[in-house]
Amino acid sequence: MIRLLAVVLIALVAGLAVLQAAQPAAAQERVERKSILQLLFGGGSGGETRSPKPESPTTRTSRVKKPVASAPAAPAPEPAVEKLENARKILVLGDFLANGAADGLTEAFAEAPGVVVVDRTNGSSGLVRDDYYNWLEQAPAIVEEVQPSIIVVQIGSNDRQQLMVNGVREPVRSVNWMAEYERRSQRLIDILRARKTPLLWVGLPAFKSPAMTTDMVALNGVHRKLVEKAGGEFIDIWDGFVDAEGKFIFTGSDINGQQVRLRGSDGINLTGAGRRKVAFYVEKSARRLLGDAAAAGVATISSQDFPEIFMPPAPDDSPAAIMRTLPVAMTDPDLDGGSALLGEMPVSATLVRTPRDMMVIDGVLPEPPEGRADNHAWPRGNR
C-alpha cells in the first residue's frame, strides 16, 4: 500500500513538471518552488511573489474613462450693425461723467446705422485745471476733425478746486472764482457754437457729499444760463438721481422703471444703469434733432431725405424783440388784462344783461334756485 502511494505521488510530480515545461516562456510566471504537500493540498508561503497578470486588450479598453460631455456652446453674439459712411456723428466732450454718457449713447444708437457716437472725453479734465487739459485750446481742433452733427457736453464734476485769477488762488464759488468760471464756460460755448452746430449741454447730478451737491447746483445754474443764451439746450438730469425730497440716492429707477443701482459705493461714479439713464435724457433730444437718421432700419442718408440739423438762433435781448404782457390788475372788473391779448376785437353788444354783468356792474345777485339753503322765500315755493 505504501509502495502504491509512493508511485502515485511520483507520477503526479512528473506530470506537473511536464505541464510547466510545455508552457511558452513568455507566459511563464516566476513562482517559488513548492513542496509535495503544497502541490497536493494547496496553499502557499507568505513569501510567494507573483508578477502581475498582463491585461488583455478588452480589459484595458473597458478601463478607459469616457470623455465627459461638454456644456453646449454659448450662442454666437449678434454681429454689430455696420455704420454708414456718412452717418451722423454725435461728439461727446467733458469729464468722467461725459465718458459714461458716451457709453450710454453708444448703446442707445447701437442699432442705428445712421448714427455714430464719437467719445473725446477726458476723465480728469475740467474748466479749472487748464494746466492739465485745456478745453479752450483742444476743442476747436476736435470739432474740426470730427465734423459732428451734434455736440454733447457734460463737465464740471472735477471743478471744485481753487482757481487762479490774476495770480491769486480764489476759493471755490467766491465772487472772483464764479466770474472767472463763467468767463471760461462762455468761451467754450462760443467755440462749440461757432459752426451753429446743435449743442446739448448735460447738467450735473447730485452727489453723496452735501457740499459737493451744493456746488453742482451752482455750476448747473451757470451752465444753464449761458447755454440757453447761446441757443443751445440744457438737459437737466437732476431729478433722475434724487428722491422725492431732493436727496441723493444710490438706487433708483432705470430707463425701464425697474429699481437698480445707479451710483457706485463712493457716491460719485455711475453704474452701467446710471450711465444709460444719463444717455436716455440726451437720447430724446438727439433723436428729435436727427429725425429719420436715427432709425434702426435706415439704409442710406442723403441731403434730400435728411435736411441739415440746426437749432433755433439765440434769443435777441434787444428791447424791440421782447414782447411784454400787461399784468392783470386786481381792480379790473373784466379780469382780462386789456383787450390787446384778444386781438383788439370789438366786444359783441347785447341788450340782455348776463348774471355776471348784474353781479359785477349792478351788484345784484341772481335769485337762488328753489330748495337751496340760501333761498329764504316763505312759504316754500313762493317768491
Side-chain angles (χ1 to χ4, degrees):
M1 187 67 180
I2 295 175
R3 183 180 298 176
L4 179 60
L5 182 60
V7 172
V8 173
L9 289 175
I10 294 172
L12 183 59
V13 171
L16 292 174
V18 172
L19 290 175
Q20 289 187 0
Q23 293 181 357
Q28 290 182 3
E29 297 178 356
R30 183 179 179 183
V31 183
E32 287 187 350
R33 189 176 299 275
K34 296 184 179 182
S35 65
I36 294 176
L37 295 177
Q38 290 174 342
L39 292 174
L40 290 176
F41 303 105
S45 62
E48 177 182 356
T49 59
R50 189 181 298 269
S51 60
K53 186 178 180 180
E55 294 181 346
S56 64
T58 304
T59 305
R60 188 182 300 113
T61 304
S62 63
R63 293 185 180 181
V64 177
K65 293 183 178 180
K66 296 181 180 180
V68 180
S70 59
E78 297 183 0
V81 174
E82 185 177 356
K83 302 295 184 177
L84 302 176
E85 293 184 1
N86 60 341
R88 304 284 192 176
K89 296 179 181 178
I90 300 178
L91 174 61
V92 184
L93 306 176
D95 52 30
F96 68 93
L97 289 180
N99 176 259
D103 292 343
L105 286 173
T106 301
E107 180 181 350
F109 292 103
E111 302 297 325
V115 180
V116 174
V117 179
V118 181
D119 183 0
R120 289 299 182 86
T121 60
N122 187 307
S124 300
S125 67
L127 295 177
V128 172
R129 289 294 304 276
D130 54 1
D131 58 325
Y132 169 75
Y133 191 87
N134 194 327
W135 279 108
L136 302 183
E137 294 180 355
Q138 300 295 331
I142 295 176
V143 174
E144 180 66 25
E145 174 192 350
V146 177
Q147 297 289 319
S149 298
I150 298 175
I151 299 176
V152 177
V153 179
Q154 189 176 27
I155 199 169
S157 56
N158 295 322
D159 288 338
R160 300 178 65 249
Q161 306 179 51
Q162 292 182 347
L163 200 157
M164 187 70 70
V165 181
N166 297 326
V168 179
R169 292 187 177 276
E170 295 290 343
V172 179
R173 292 177 56 202
S174 65
V175 175
N176 293 335
W177 191 98
M178 292 295 293
E180 176 63 16
Y181 190 84
E182 184 171 336
R183 186 193 69 80
R184 296 187 183 189
S185 299
Q186 182 64 65
R187 179 65 183 135
L188 178 60
I189 294 171
D190 292 341
I191 292 173
L192 301 178
R193 286 285 287 158
R195 296 172 173 268
K196 306 301 180 184
T197 304
L199 175 62
L200 303 179
W201 193 291
V202 187
L204 301 169
F207 291 94
K208 181 180 179 181
S209 167
M212 190 174 184
T213 297
T214 302
D215 291 337
M216 295 305 105
V217 172
L219 298 187
N220 280 343
V222 172
H223 296 154
R224 180 193 294 272
K225 177 184 67 175
L226 298 180
V227 169
E228 293 180 349
K229 182 179 179 181
E233 180 179 351
F234 182 85
I235 300 177
D236 193 347
I237 65 172
W238 191 270
D239 291 341
F241 296 90
V242 296
D243 59 14
E245 298 178 355
K247 297 180 180 179
F248 170 84
I249 55 174
F250 282 101
T251 301
S253 300
D254 64 358
I255 62 175
N256 298 315
Q258 303 297 321
Q259 291 295 304
V260 296
R261 182 86 172 191
L262 299 175
R263 309 300 287 271
S265 58
D266 58 1
I268 297 176
N269 289 285
L270 298 170
T271 63
R275 293 192 293 269
R276 183 64 184 88
K277 188 171 184 177
V278 173
F280 178 73
Y281 285 91
V282 185
E283 178 187 355
K284 294 188 293 183
S285 298
R287 288 187 181 277
R288 184 186 71 247
L289 294 170
L290 294 169
D292 292 339
V298 63
T300 58
I301 295 180
S302 64
S303 58
Q304 290 79 15
D305 297 335
F306 304 103
E308 281 299 317
I309 300 174
F310 69 94
M311 296 188 76
D316 188 359
D317 292 336
S318 61
I322 300 176
M323 297 182 63
R324 293 182 172 85
T325 302
L326 294 176
V328 177
M330 296 297 295
T331 57
D332 180 10
D334 294 329
L335 301 178
D336 58 5
S339 59
L341 293 179
L342 301 177
E344 298 184 352
M345 295 291 292
V347 181
S348 57
T350 176
L351 298 178
V352 180
R353 285 186 177 273
T354 64
R356 175 183 178 278
D357 295 336
M358 296 174 61
M359 180 181 65
V360 175
I361 299 175
D362 301 333
V364 178
L365 295 176
E367 291 289 339
E370 184 178 354
R372 203 169 68 179
D374 58 345
N375 184 2
H376 304 294
W378 187 264
R380 295 294 185 184
N382 294 338
R383 294 283 181 179

